[in-house]
Amino acid sequence: MSRFVRASKYRHVFGQSAKKEHNFENIKVTNSAWDTNIISASGAYISVNWNSSGGGAFAILPLPSPFHGINGFPHKVPDTVPLARSHTAAVLDTDWSPHNDSIVASGAEDGKVMIWKVESSAFEGWGQEGWVPQDFDPVLRIDASPRKVGQVLFHPTASNVVASASGEYHVKLWDLASPEEPRSVLTGHGDIVQSMTFNPTGTLVATTSRDKKLRIFDARVGSDPVRVGDGHSGVKGSRVVWLGDMDKLGTTGFSKMSDRQVGIWETGGLSNVKTLSIDQSAGVIMPFWTDNNILFLAGKGDGNIRYYEYESDSLHSLAEYKSSEPQRGMCFLPRRALSVSDCEIARAYKVHASSVEAIAFIVPRKADSFQSDIYPPVPSTEPSVTAAEFFNGKTPTLKLVSLADGSVAASSSSASLPPPTPSSAYSAAPSTPMSAVQSAPTPTRTYSASTPVSAPAVAPPPVSMLVSEPLPTSSHRDGAPSRSQTQDSELETENARLTAELREAREKIRNLELQVEAVRANARKAAEALLSG
């Protein structure tokens, strides 16, 4: 046994459960067997998939803290609560906007994606005498798929961009300012998409599928993946997370012998760096990454949470949070909302059979000052690009905020693949941030992606909750085409030709990249064979 101990400032991190009165009880958790986390959190609220009759619903509740209760809010949730219940079938997944703690997206078995805005006034008087529950209404409805929508995910750096994964085996990216049709469609999956994740800047998307493949897509170009590799060999659920800016992916899944596994993959060729066997339990493992280089693993049906520190292509076991209560689902709090005064480096929200529990992961230190070594900068709530800029090919940066003084800086990390050329001409008025949505009731709009959108001779401006564009004006009379219209027509023809050429060029680049990766892999194998000989 080695006498040397690996140095780590996170060696003694421990999990601290909240007191019973600081958690939520009487939670009616969904009975759906669909494999998602069931719960999601922003810096102000949590959403929980709800067991409701007459369609699908999820609950929105104030954010519980492991250190104190919520003033004026009941620990035991009333039997009848306000719900987000406009879906006509079970809600399968929710996700909060990284740019606005009051905006949440939902996907359901009815094939719709809905966007909701939460007002703090909705929680006034809960459970008091004369209180009447008022359900939440969506501000935007999108007919995303003729089949169920199993996952929804907000873009990390572009405002008003949401990804959805559906039973069509597709992942679609939507611009919420013009949601008539998806801006990008990621295809090539052979079966149901089980999980998806953006890289830190949002230029790439990684997915796992029931066909046992791991894929990486160019988020804006869409179509087929630019990288495809074999994932875990077992038939049960697999998950994927992006390991920060290190161009590595972390996955969980099962072996052919039903061993639960965690794997590390490099993004250049999707070659496996390391695979660890965890145990032989049956529950799907939910992975969560924090920028402290810590990977948390929580198995469904387990009571424990394992956590590992990633260093030099290895996962070093730190400790394990143990509990006798099995978890049905889990999520982690955005790091910008952590309690730095308590040396809290991560916070989990664990869903039990009928309650939600907050668990703080704490570095045991006695110093009263800010501990800068355990708090790297966190992603900012300010988007770096608009949706129009993102889909037009502008490379986004990840804006980071210091938890010490609130200063903002751009991350130096970049994507491992070149930025895409837009697959079609796309222009729109700059998207207004979601925080600009007024508290007054907003009319709900419904858009369908299954039927083509035909524009009338004079198209009215698109009306949505996020942008408003000016009406087009005409500078000619008597129906005669103006000079500008003729020039526009010529430009559109030329743009279509160039777009087709660029699409062909990018396809050739993809093929060449895959050939280069294959040559490199063969060279590495040959070198290893020579050295071993």
Side-chain angles (χ1 to χ4, degrees), residues 15 17 302-307 319-325 327 350 357 359 361:
S17 176
D302 298 355
N304 59 339
I305 304 172
R306 299 176 175 91
Y307 40 105
E320 186 175 338
Y321 171 81
K322 296 183 178 181
S323 169
S324 60
E325 293 288 338
Q327 55 234 7
K350 174 179 175 178
E357 175 187 12
I359 304 170
F361 291 90

Side-chain angles (χ1 to χ4, degrees), residues 189-195 207-215 238:
H189 299 95
D191 209 325
I192 292 291
V193 178
Q194 294 176 321
S195 71
T207 65
T208 58
S209 172
R210 196 179 291 169
D211 62 10
K212 306 176 188 178
K213 297 291 185 181
L214 181 61
R215 295 174 172 85
S238 179

Side-chain angles (χ1 to χ4, degrees), residues 113-352:
V113 172
M114 297 190 185
I115 308 298
W116 315 72
K117 186 174 189 303
V118 184
E119 302 293 344
S120 58
S121 59
F123 303 99
E124 295 177 357
W126 269 53
Q128 297 179 7
E129 185 177 353
W131 173 69
V132 178
Q134 296 291 330
D135 287 341
F136 298 94
D137 291 320
V139 291
L140 183 65
R141 290 186 177 96
I142 304 173
D143 289 336
S145 172
R147 300 185 180 180
K148 65 178 65 175
V149 175
Q151 288 91 26
V152 289
L153 186 64
F154 270 98
H155 194 279
T157 58
S159 62
N160 307 338
V161 176
V162 171
S164 65
S166 69
E168 301 171 281
Y169 309 161
H170 294 164
V171 173
K172 300 177 182 179
L173 272 68
W174 305 89
D175 177 2
L176 300 183
S178 54
E180 297 86 356
E181 57 183 9
R183 292 303 312 158
S184 178
V185 180
L186 314 183
T187 61
H189 299 95
D191 209 325
I192 292 291
V193 178
Q194 294 176 321
S195 71
M196 59 182 175
T197 182
F198 284 103
N199 70 330
T201 57
T203 54
L204 304 175
V205 178
T207 65
T208 58
S209 172
R210 196 179 291 169
D211 62 10
K212 306 176 188 178
K213 297 291 185 181
L214 181 61
R215 295 174 172 85
I216 297 179
F217 295 85
D218 193 322
R220 291 171 284 195
V221 172
S223 189
D224 293 336
V226 295
R227 300 282 189 274
V228 181
D230 292 328
H232 297 274
S233 57
V235 297
K236 295 182 182 179
S238 179
R239 301 286 193 93
V240 61
V241 292
W242 212 287
L243 303 188
D245 58 0
M246 292 183 291
D247 291 330
K248 296 287 193 301
L249 294 173
T251 62
T252 58
F254 293 80
S255 70
K256 287 183 178 179
M257 303 302 293
S258 296
D259 292 335
R260 293 200 296 187
Q261 297 178 326
V262 56
I264 304 296
W265 314 77
E266 55 88 15
T267 58
L270 286 182
S271 60
N272 181 254
V273 176
K274 183 176 289 293
T275 297
L276 297 177
S277 291
I278 304 298
D279 55 29
Q280 290 188 325
S281 297
V284 172
I285 295 180
M286 300 172 284
F288 303 95
W289 173 261
T290 74
D291 292 330
N292 308 86
N293 290 353
I294 298 178
L295 181 65
F296 291 86
L297 304 178
K300 288 194 173 184
D302 298 355
N304 59 339
I305 304 172
R306 299 176 175 91
Y307 40 105
Y308 301 80
E309 186 173 9
Y310 177 82
E311 184 180 33
S312 302
D313 289 340
S314 295
L315 290 173
H316 303 278
S317 179
L318 291 175
E320 186 175 338
Y321 171 81
K322 296 183 178 181
S323 169
S324 60
E325 293 288 338
Q327 55 234 7
R328 289 199 55 195
M330 185 172 291
C331 72
F332 271 66
L333 183 70
R335 288 198 305 118
R336 55 184 163 79
L338 296 172
S339 175
V340 297
S341 60
D342 294 291
C343 293
E344 182 188 33
I345 63 164
R347 184 188 303 176
Y349 287 101
K350 174 179 175 178
V351 178
H352 301 273

Side-chain angles (χ1 to χ4, degrees), residues 93-106:
D93 195 26
T94 59
D95 188 53
W96 291 87
S97 169
H99 308 128
N100 188 320
D101 287 335
S102 299
I103 300 293
V104 61
S106 62

Side-chain angles (χ1 to χ4, degrees), residues 384-413:
S384 60
V385 292
T386 64
E389 291 171 336
F390 175 73
F391 288 113
N392 271 331
K394 182 176 180 179
T395 302
T397 58
L398 180 62
K399 293 185 177 181
L400 299 175
V401 176
S402 169
L403 291 178
D405 55 13
S407 58
V408 180
S411 171
S412 59
S413 63

